Amino acid sequence: MIRFALLTTLLPLLCVHVCYSQAKLNAEEYLKRGDALLDQNDLDGAITTYTSAIELDPALADAYIKRGIALRMNGNLDGAIEDFEIAEKLDPNAIAGNRYIAESYSNRGYIEMSQLQIERAITDFTKAIELHADPMHYFRRGQARLVD
């Protein structure tokens, strides 16, 4: 009787653990497939595949970063930065030092500056500097401050 009670208590917990582990494994597999598609320049396929990884494991910061990179390459800068911001919330160290992400913020800042959204531009240039201290980001922020 005690064995039966113990078995009925532990079995559901074991199933939950196994199912969660399987979902995480599948999310990692989707990341690898997305990487292969990105390498083949199949941007739409990569975006769809990274989205599948996110659906399986919404806490996987790397999936947001990779989808963000694919979105940027596909011309969706705002969508890319949205993914980078989610990744940063999930893991503050996930985007640190990433030159590609820094360039995305700098490029958006440049667009904002041309639209005279100077405060937003300065914020994006500052974020780019925090991620990767490229002289171009400092230069652009300096230009925005002159306009301000």
Side-chain angles (χ1 to χ4, degrees):
M1 184 71 165
I2 293 174
R3 286 184 181 168
F4 180 74
L6 188 58
L7 185 61
T8 58
T9 304
L10 292 178
L11 189 58
L13 293 175
L14 181 62
C15 288
V16 167
H17 176 72
V18 169
C19 291
Y20 178 76
S21 298
Q22 187 64 32
K24 194 154 184 85
L25 178 67
N26 287 337
E28 295 290 337
E29 289 173 6
Y30 275 105
L31 277 183
K32 290 176 186 173
R33 290 180 192 164
D35 292 346
L37 292 167
L38 193 61
D39 287 343
Q40 297 168 10
N41 208 30
D42 180 357
L43 300 177
D44 292 330
I47 292 166
T48 300
T49 304
Y50 292 136
T51 300
S52 295
I54 291 166
E55 289 169 353
L56 288 171
D57 187 358
L60 189 59
D62 206 26
Y64 288 97
I65 291 170
K66 291 179 177 198
R67 184 176 71 177
I69 289 170
L71 286 167
R72 179 181 174 213
M73 292 172 70
N74 208 24
N76 184 350
L77 186 60
D78 287 334
I81 290 178
E82 184 178 313
D83 274 0
F84 299 150
E85 289 171 346
I86 293 169
E88 184 178 31
K89 286 177 186 171
L90 292 171
D91 179 3
N93 296 319
I95 67 171
N98 190 312
R99 180 183 189 126
Y100 200 80
I101 295 173
E103 288 173 358
S104 297
Y105 279 97
S106 186
N107 288 345
R108 185 172 75 174
Y110 189 76
I111 292 167
E112 291 163 342
M113 193 168 68
S114 71
Q115 297 169 343
L116 298 178
Q117 298 173 357
I118 304 305
E119 288 303 315
R120 289 181 64 180
I122 290 171
T123 300
D124 278 344
F125 293 139
T126 301
K127 182 68 174 182
I129 291 165
E130 290 169 1
L131 293 171
H132 188 267
D134 187 296
M136 179 57 72
H137 309 321
Y138 284 101
F139 177 75
R140 287 179 169 178
R141 186 174 69 178
Q143 285 180 314
R145 286 182 173 163
L146 285 174
V147 174
D148 193 26

